[in-house]
Amino acid sequence: MGIVELVLIALSLSMDAFAVSLSNGMAIPNLRLRDALKFGFFFGLFQALMPLIGWAAGHLFSSYITAFDHWIAFALLGYIGAKMIYDVIRGGDEEAQGSTQFSVLIVLAVATSIDALAAGVTFAFLPETMGIGWMVAIIGLITFVLCTIGALLGKCAGQALGKRAQLIGGAVLIIMGLKILIEHLFFA
């Protein structure tokens, strides 16, 4: 695999994480650069780790992973999105809105990187023109940059939209979960 193909794969794998960063940036009223960097770090880290794990697992586990990965992503993204919407309707506290809490970031990072795990399985079957270390580093770096930018763009949109931003952010997470589920059930 060449660098152009790898960059395209990295961009496509990071789109879910970018959308989640964008929606959370909208939902966090006082998002700072440090918070945006947290999104970039967590999403970039998991987008790099999951293909490495997939590559290591190789073809041995590929049928098991692809059999249920979409259900996990759907459940995690759907839960967090529904909770964001519920908190707006219920009048929840500011911390319940989009969050930079460690536990929330881990769940979101795992949910958006499950497809990267499956992609990593395919890396085991490709002739390597560069080592797996370089491959996952490029994927992680591209995701880091896109998600940091996404969170900052979301902040701008969130300031303009107010409380509706959290509703939109929650809806985007649910839609992303549904998109992943539908793609895997009907188009995979």
Side-chain angles (χ1 to χ4, degrees):
M1 173 182 324
I3 189 72
V4 172
E5 292 89 355
L6 181 59
V7 168
L8 292 173
I9 288 171
L11 287 170
S12 65
L13 288 175
S14 65
M15 285 298 108
D16 289 351
F18 173 79
V20 171
S21 295
L22 185 71
S23 67
N24 272 284
M26 288 190 302
I28 299 172
N30 300 316
L31 183 95
R32 298 171 300 214
L33 177 60
R34 187 177 90 198
D35 299 323
L37 289 170
K38 274 188 196 178
F39 280 104
F41 174 77
F42 276 91
F43 288 121
L45 178 67
F46 276 84
Q47 287 289 354
L49 285 177
M50 292 298 222
L52 182 61
I53 293 167
W55 174 80
H59 70 279
L60 181 61
F61 297 110
S62 66
S63 63
Y64 300 114
I65 294 167
T66 58
F68 63 87
D69 64 347
H70 49 282
W71 288 104
I72 294 170
F74 169 70
L76 293 173
L77 291 172
Y79 170 76
I80 292 173
K83 184 171 182 341
M84 286 173 69
I85 292 169
Y86 174 77
D87 287 340
V88 168
I89 293 169
R90 180 180 60 93
D93 60 347
E94 294 292 308
E95 284 299 309
Q97 300 173 7
S99 178
T100 59
Q101 293 176 351
F102 180 79
S103 60
V104 173
L105 289 174
I106 292 290
V107 169
L108 290 173
V110 168
T112 58
S113 64
I114 290 174
D115 57 343
L117 178 71
V121 172
T122 65
F123 292 168
F125 303 107
L126 297 174
E128 291 187 30
T129 56
M130 65 183 79
I132 189 67
W134 283 107
M135 293 169 72
V136 298
I138 290 168
I139 292 169
L141 180 63
I142 287 173
T143 304
F144 169 80
V145 170
L146 286 176
C147 290
T148 301
I149 291 169
L152 293 171
L153 289 173
K155 175 186 178 181
C156 295
Q159 289 172 339
L161 295 171
K163 282 264 189 204
R164 291 174 289 177
Q166 186 175 347
L167 290 172
I168 293 167
V172 167
L173 292 179
I174 293 169
I175 290 167
M176 292 303 301
L178 282 170
K179 174 189 160 287
I180 291 168
L181 183 65
I182 290 168
E183 282 177 352
H184 281 72
L185 289 178
F186 299 109
F187 301 109

Coordinates of all heavy atoms in Angstrom, one line a residue, residues 19-21 23-24 74 77-78 80-82 84 108 168-178:
A19 N -16.9 13.8 12.8 CA -18.3 14.2 13.0 C -18.7 14.2 14.5 O -19.4 15.1 15.0 CB -19.3 13.2 12.2
V20 N -18.2 13.2 15.2 CA -18.4 13.2 16.7 C -17.7 14.4 17.4 O -18.3 15.0 18.3 CB -18.0 11.8 17.3 CG1 -18.1 11.9 18.8 CG2 -18.9 10.7 16.7
S21 N -16.5 14.7 17.0 CA -15.8 15.8 17.5 C -16.6 17.1 17.2 O -16.7 18.0 18.1 CB -14.4 15.9 16.9 OG -13.6 14.8 17.3
S23 N -19.8 17.5 16.6 CA -21.0 17.6 17.4 C -20.8 17.8 18.9 O -21.5 18.6 19.5 CB -21.9 16.3 17.2 OG -21.2 15.2 17.8
N24 N -19.7 17.2 19.4 CA -19.4 17.5 20.8 C -18.9 18.9 21.0 O -19.1 19.6 22.0 CB -18.4 16.5 21.3 CG -19.1 15.3 21.9 OD1 -19.6 15.3 23.0 ND2 -19.1 14.2 21.2
F74 N -23.1 1.1 17.0 CA -24.5 1.7 17.1 C -25.0 1.9 18.5 O -25.5 2.9 18.8 CB -25.4 0.7 16.3 CG -26.9 1.0 16.5 CD1 -27.5 2.1 16.0 CD2 -27.7 0.1 17.3 CE1 -28.8 2.4 16.2 CE2 -29.0 0.4 17.5 CZ -29.6 1.6 16.9
L77 N -22.8 4.8 20.3 CA -23.1 6.2 19.7 C -24.5 6.5 20.0 O -24.8 7.7 20.4 CB -22.8 6.3 18.2 CG -21.3 6.2 17.9 CD1 -21.1 6.1 16.4 CD2 -20.6 7.4 18.4
G78 N -25.4 5.6 19.9 CA -26.8 5.8 20.1 C -27.1 6.2 21.6 O -27.9 7.1 21.9
I80 N -25.0 7.5 23.8 CA -24.4 8.8 24.2 C -25.2 9.9 23.5 O -25.5 11.0 24.1 CB -22.9 8.9 23.8 CG1 -22.1 8.0 24.7 CG2 -22.4 10.4 23.9 CD1 -20.7 7.9 24.3
G81 N -25.6 9.7 22.3 CA -26.5 10.7 21.6 C -27.8 10.9 22.3 O -28.3 12.0 22.5
A82 N -28.5 9.8 22.6 CA -29.7 9.9 23.3 C -29.6 10.5 24.7 O -30.5 11.3 25.1 CB -30.3 8.5 23.5
M84 N -27.4 12.9 25.5 CA -27.2 14.3 25.2 C -28.6 15.0 25.0 O -28.9 16.0 25.6 CB -26.3 14.5 24.0 CG -24.9 14.3 24.3 SD -23.9 14.4 22.8 CE -23.9 16.1 22.4
L108 N -16.5 7.2 23.2 CA -16.7 7.7 21.9 C -15.5 7.3 21.0 O -15.8 7.0 19.8 CB -16.7 9.3 22.0 CG -18.0 9.9 22.6 CD1 -17.8 11.4 22.8 CD2 -19.2 9.6 21.7
I168 N -28.6 18.9 18.3 CA -28.1 18.6 17.0 C -26.9 17.6 17.2 O -26.8 16.6 16.5 CB -27.6 19.8 16.2 CG1 -28.8 20.7 15.8 CG2 -26.8 19.4 15.0 CD1 -28.4 22.1 15.3
G169 N -26.1 17.9 18.2 CA -25.0 17.0 18.4 C -25.4 15.6 18.8 O -24.9 14.6 18.3
G170 N -26.4 15.5 19.7 CA -27.0 14.2 20.0 C -27.6 13.5 18.8 O -27.4 12.2 18.6
A171 N -28.3 14.2 18.0 CA -28.9 13.6 16.8 C -27.8 13.1 15.8 O -27.9 12.0 15.3 CB -29.8 14.6 16.1
V172 N -26.7 13.9 15.7 CA -25.6 13.5 14.8 C -25.0 12.1 15.3 O -24.8 11.2 14.5 CB -24.5 14.6 14.7 CG1 -23.3 14.0 14.1 CG2 -25.1 15.7 13.9
L173 N -24.8 12.0 16.6 CA -24.3 10.8 17.2 C -25.2 9.6 16.9 O -24.8 8.5 16.5 CB -24.0 10.9 18.7 CG -22.9 11.8 19.1 CD1 -22.8 11.9 20.6 CD2 -21.6 11.5 18.5
I174 N -26.5 9.8 17.1 CA -27.5 8.7 16.8 C -27.4 8.4 15.3 O -27.4 7.2 14.9 CB -28.9 9.1 17.3 CG1 -28.9 9.2 18.8 CG2 -29.9 8.1 16.8 CD1 -30.1 9.8 19.4
I175 N -27.4 9.4 14.5 CA -27.4 9.2 13.0 C -26.1 8.4 12.6 O -26.1 7.5 11.8 CB -27.5 10.5 12.3 CG1 -29.0 11.0 12.4 CG2 -27.2 10.4 10.8 CD1 -29.2 12.5 12.0
M176 N -25.0 8.8 13.2 CA -23.7 8.1 12.9 C -23.8 6.6 13.3 O -23.4 5.8 12.5 CB -22.5 8.8 13.6 CG -22.2 10.2 13.1 SD -21.8 10.3 11.4 CE -20.4 9.2 11.2
G177 N -24.4 6.4 14.4 CA -24.6 5.0 14.8 C -25.5 4.2 13.9 O -25.2 3.1 13.5
L178 N -26.6 4.9 13.5 CA -27.5 4.2 12.5 C -26.8 4.0 11.2 O -27.0 3.0 10.5 CB -28.7 5.1 12.3 CG -29.8 5.0 13.4 CD1 -30.9 6.1 13.2 CD2 -30.4 3.6 13.4

